Amino acid sequence: MQDAPRPAAHDPAPLTPRVAALPATVPFVGPEAQERARGRPFRARLGANESGFGPAPEAVEAMARAAAEAWAYGDPEMLDLRAAIGARHGLGPEHVVVGEGIDGLLGVSARLFLEPGRAAVTSLGAYPTFNYHVAGVGARLATVPYRDDREDAAALAAAARAEGASLLYFANPDNPMGSVATPAEVSALVDALPPGCLLLLDEAYAEFMDPAALPAVDPAHPRVIRLRTFSKAMGLAGLRVGYALTAPETARAFDRLRNHFGVGRVAQAGALAATAATGWLEDVVARTARARARIAEVAAASGLSALPSATNFVAVDCGADGDLARAVLQELLARDVFARMPGPAPLDRCIRVTAGPDAALDVFEAALPEALAAARRRV
Amino acid sequence: MQDAPRPAAHDPAPLTPRVAALPATVPFVGPEAQERARGRPFRARLGANESGFGPAPEAVEAMARAAAEAWAYGDPEMLDLRAAIGARHGLGPEHVVVGEGIDGLLGVSARLFLEPGRAAVTSLGAYPTFNYHVAGVGARLATVPYRDDREDAAALAAAARAEGASLLYFANPDNPMGSVATPAEVSALVDALPPGCLLLLDEAYAEFMDPAALPAVDPAHPRVIRLRTFSKAMGLAGLRVGYALTAPETARAFDRLRNHFGVGRVAQAGALAATAATGWLEDVVARTARARARIAEVAAASGLSALPSATNFVAVDCGADGDLARAVLQELLARDVFARMPGPAPLDRCIRVTAGPDAALDVFEAALPEALAAARRRV
């Protein structure tokens, strides 16, 4: 302990030194905050990769029914939900951890495997909430640039080895670019994991992939956690339910730190019904594919190119540098289109647009040519 | 770093030493797990202090409406809900933090203010989830015995001073005994807080108190956090929404670590509607008071005495030691009554029964004499 001045009675309670050193920033500003700042709502909500096609009607009904029973805590073991999720993946419930979204599971994972002196590896420009949780536990974060708009699996494994990393984050399909790794690349990444390093394989968008391209991962592998969510294809971002598929021993470790009652009765009921609604899911995946194609057409009509995407969003290359893309994004926001964009160059030559329903894409289609022209005048 | 053997490729990823030292136990086994073990459901769910009177119809309707919009993330700043909660307490939203139940807020509080080498103080037998989160961050926990079935505020403050504690947990009304501190006792506790120590004042059951007995706490006090919940009087345990009332600077600190999207759209909608349903709340409080009186009558009919309670549960003194009370609890469970009991002596001479609806108390009334007789035969 260093010699700090003794706090006085009127002083705030001292945060831990680690927390005091954290920035007070947040991983994402929500569209609601932007709407409040603008003073008017967006007409097209295409920035958070939500599924505007909505949740399955069965899930809506299940939530409405559960609402009347919301006086009772949910099962903290979430056994019915874990069994249903596991069955969907050919696994027993002992392989499944359910948490408050992938975000919540990333937070617990960081606390299980990281501490000051340990390191994590991710791609520069990948999901910022992972970085947020790494910083929250005081661990070191090393980043690896994208290569050709894809996460560089081999370089990530090499960095994990060089850093002695305890966690490696890899998203497949990736966000924000929408690229997909081949099964062979994922297998090679698993094989190349250095001893002592656990792979967090974020598959939030996996339902949108060609199922034949999904990598096979040994569900008993002691150092791989696959992360899935009800927030994307299942259309339940507003419930906050994510899950991990992993070896039973790794799954049990979450019980040491997680908020055991954090996923309530209403959320469990909605997620359980959504798991069974396979017909709805197929339909959403098909509609999302059509929406992706439409975004590419809209981009092409303005002379822009859409990157291939295995997700429910499309990265649209604005054809120049980050200054132009940022200006396009601002002009879209000014035209009531909520979208986002990657952070670092050269990814930041793109804007990222969610593959949403036609009504929202109509607004985007009308706004993009104007936004692009206005942006080009500014930059 | 000590010289640990290098992990091999087939070994699990090493937990942090702190996590590895944690027990794999959970703070509470849920009634659902007990039902699975028993092979049949409980007929009276009176163990978790849920409000069997249910949530307000307005809240149920709001959740059902929000279910159809569950495809969209909730506002991560939760401004509408924080403003409504604040208004209820005469405060601006900058004083309000919303989280995944009081449990979730306790977890973030522990991570904000505790680390290895720091200490927390609580009462022996108080809410175990606080202790769970203290252990989770590797801090030291000092406990102070109850005195006359009440938390001993003066001894807690003295222990906080002696331990150099960073957090002091105090519940008012208290759980599991149902006692209430006077406003003067709470004021004295706040005044006696040693510098550098923050008071977590858990008021989960405050709506059941005589409003005149609620302590006044300066909302700008830099070292007090009042914790409230929608899980008890509001009848929304299955939503998992709790909140903290505190100084704006302290409130902002939560943004450094919390799961920003952890309270979703459906939960925010339900809680917002519940906040407005003041008529329903008054009715629930009145019905709960009648249920408390009935539990006391049922206890008296078996020659047992109920402790005074300012909550939605009643500690029933079984008239002997912990062995008898534990046997009574087991015999109640065997008769399909889910209840719980305090852990340490002499609190463990009591069982704890939720002040629920008549149908549940009918089952309890029928079961108690038999359970007591059976327990007396066993002990």
Side-chain angles (χ1 to χ4, degrees):
Chain A
M1 294 282 288
Q2 62 185 75
D3 275 313
R6 292 283 305 166
H10 58 274
D11 285 343
L15 300 169
T16 72
R18 181 197 307 165
V19 173
L22 292 175
T25 55
V26 302
F28 286 107
V29 176
E32 293 81 8
Q34 296 184 49
E35 290 175 332
R36 286 189 289 267
R38 292 152 38 91
R40 66 179 196 277
F42 290 114
R43 290 183 295 141
R45 187 171 164 120
L46 299 172
N49 303 339
E50 301 153 328
S51 177
F53 305 109
E58 300 93 315
V60 175
E61 284 164 30
M63 288 184 273
R65 274 197 308 274
E69 297 160 11
W71 61 271
Y73 288 104
D75 174 12
E77 298 180 12
M78 299 177 274
L79 190 66
D80 292 346
L81 178 57
R82 287 166 51 228
I85 289 169
R88 186 169 166 245
H89 295 282
L91 299 172
E94 70 277 12
H95 285 276
V96 183
V97 182
V98 174
E100 302 98 328
I102 287 179
D103 287 4
L105 293 164
L106 288 174
V108 178
S109 298
R111 294 163 61 211
L112 287 172
F113 297 106
L114 296 177
E115 62 180 356
R118 289 195 180 189
V121 170
T122 188
S123 299
L124 182 64
Y127 192 53
T129 304
F130 175 68
N131 307 3
Y132 169 78
H133 288 302
V134 171
V137 297
R140 196 170 73 252
L141 182 69
T143 58
V144 170
Y146 275 61
R147 174 194 290 258
D148 300 332
D149 298 326
R150 303 170 76 240
E151 293 200 61
D152 189 338
L156 286 162
R161 190 171 295 268
E163 299 282 344
S166 298
L167 286 182
L168 191 166
Y169 175 88
F170 186 80
N172 185 46
D174 117 273
N175 174 18
M177 302 308 279
S179 70
V180 66
T182 66
E185 285 171 322
V186 176
S187 292
L189 175 59
V190 171
D191 290 343
L193 280 176
C197 182
L198 185 140
L199 172 65
L200 290 172
L201 181 59
D202 185 342
E203 299 183 326
Y205 297 96
E207 288 85 356
F208 299 111
M209 282 176 63
D210 173 4
L214 258 177
V217 177
D218 176 4
H221 194 296
R223 291 187 288 112
V224 178
I225 296 178
R226 304 172 80 153
L227 296 164
R228 296 286 188 105
T229 185
F230 286 87
S231 297
K232 302 301 177 187
M234 303 291 202
L236 289 169
L239 267 201
R240 301 311 288 140
V241 186
Y243 60 96
L245 301 173
T246 188
E249 180 181 352
T250 308
R252 278 195 303 275
F254 282 75
D255 279 340
R256 296 175 181 231
L257 288 180
R258 72 184 179 92
N259 183 10
H260 285 264
F261 289 83
V263 178
R265 178 168 294 261
V266 178
Q268 290 182 41
L272 187 63
T275 302
T278 52
W280 177 262
L281 177 63
E282 280 176 32
D283 188 51
V284 165
V285 169
R287 291 160 81 181
T288 302
R290 289 195 292 273
R292 281 199 307 264
R294 182 170 173 201
I295 292 172
E297 290 163 12
V298 168
S302 283
L304 307 183
S305 65
L307 273 61
S309 170
T311 67
N312 74 337
F313 59 84
V314 177
V316 174
D317 186 338
C318 291
D321 61 4
D323 289 341
L324 178 67
R326 273 183 288 277
V328 171
L329 189 71
Q330 286 160 7
E331 295 292 343
L332 284 172
L333 293 168
R335 287 164 180 79
D336 299 336
V337 176
F338 167 56
R340 288 196 172 119
M341 64 178 290
L347 312 184
D348 69 350
R349 71 190 191 282
C350 298
I351 59 169
R352 196 195 67 181
V353 182
T354 301
D358 276 333
L361 294 188
D362 290 346
V363 177
F364 172 66
E365 182 169 20
L368 182 63
E370 297 173 23
L372 187 61
R376 284 180 173 148
R377 284 193 298 274
R378 283 172 53 190
V379 175
Chain B
M1 296 282 287
Q2 61 187 75
D3 275 314
R6 292 283 304 167
H10 58 275
D11 284 344
L15 300 169
T16 71
R18 181 198 305 164
V19 173
L22 292 174
T25 55
V26 302
F28 286 107
V29 176
E32 292 80 8
Q34 296 183 50
E35 289 176 333
R36 286 190 288 266
R38 293 154 35 92
R40 63 179 197 277
F42 289 114
R43 288 183 297 142
R45 187 171 164 120
L46 299 172
N49 304 337
E50 300 153 329
S51 178
F53 304 110
E58 299 94 315
V60 175
E61 283 164 32
M63 288 183 273
R65 273 197 308 275
E69 298 160 9
W71 61 272
Y73 287 103
D75 175 12
E77 298 180 14
M78 299 177 274
L79 190 67
D80 292 345
L81 178 57
R82 287 165 52 226
I85 289 169
R88 186 169 168 244
H89 296 282
L91 299 172
E94 69 277 12
H95 285 276
V96 184
V97 182
V98 174
E100 303 97 327
I102 288 179
D103 287 2
L105 293 164
L106 289 173
V108 178
S109 298
R111 295 162 61 208
L112 286 172
F113 297 105
L114 296 176
E115 62 180 356
R118 290 195 178 187
V121 171
T122 187
S123 298
L124 182 64
Y127 192 52
T129 304
F130 176 69
N131 308 3
Y132 168 79
H133 288 302
V134 172
V137 296
R140 196 171 73 251
L141 182 69
T143 59
V144 170
Y146 275 61
R147 174 194 290 257
D148 301 332
D149 299 327
R150 303 169 76 240
E151 294 200 60
D152 189 339
L156 285 161
R161 192 171 295 269
E163 299 282 344
S166 298
L167 287 182
L168 192 165
Y169 175 89
F170 185 80
N172 185 47
D174 118 271
N175 174 18
M177 303 309 278
S179 70
V180 66
T182 67
E185 285 171 322
V186 176
S187 292
L189 175 59
V190 171
D191 291 343
L193 279 176
C197 182
L198 185 140
L199 172 64
L200 290 173
L201 181 59
D202 186 342
E203 300 183 326
Y205 298 95
E207 289 85 357
F208 300 111
M209 283 177 62
D210 173 7
L214 258 178
V217 178
D218 176 4
H221 195 296
R223 291 187 288 109
V224 178
I225 296 177
R226 304 174 80 154
L227 297 164
R228 297 287 188 104
T229 185
F230 286 88
S231 298
K232 302 302 177 187
M234 303 290 203
L236 289 170
L239 266 202
R240 301 313 286 142
V241 186
Y243 59 96
L245 301 173
T246 188
E249 180 181 352
T250 308
R252 279 195 301 275
F254 282 76
D255 279 340
R256 296 175 181 232
L257 289 180
R258 72 184 180 92
N259 184 9
H260 285 264
F261 289 83
V263 178
R265 179 168 292 262
V266 178
Q268 291 183 41
L272 186 64
T275 302
T278 52
W280 177 263
L281 177 63
E282 281 176 32
D283 188 51
V284 165
V285 169
R287 292 160 82 182
T288 303
R290 289 196 291 274
R292 281 200 307 263
R294 183 171 172 200
I295 292 171
E297 290 164 12
V298 168
S302 283
L304 307 182
S305 64
L307 274 61
S309 169
T311 67
N312 75 335
F313 61 84
V314 178
V316 174
D317 186 337
C318 291
D321 61 4
D323 289 340
L324 178 67
R326 274 183 288 276
V328 171
L329 189 71
Q330 287 160 7
E331 296 291 342
L332 284 171
L333 293 169
R335 286 164 180 81
D336 299 336
V337 176
F338 168 56
R340 287 196 172 120
M341 64 178 289
L347 313 184
D348 68 349
R349 70 190 191 282
C350 298
I351 58 170
R352 196 195 67 181
V353 181
T354 301
D358 276 333
L361 294 187
D362 290 346
V363 176
F364 172 66
E365 181 168 20
L368 182 63
E370 298 172 24
L372 186 61
R376 284 180 174 147
R377 283 193 298 273
R378 282 172 52 186
V379 174

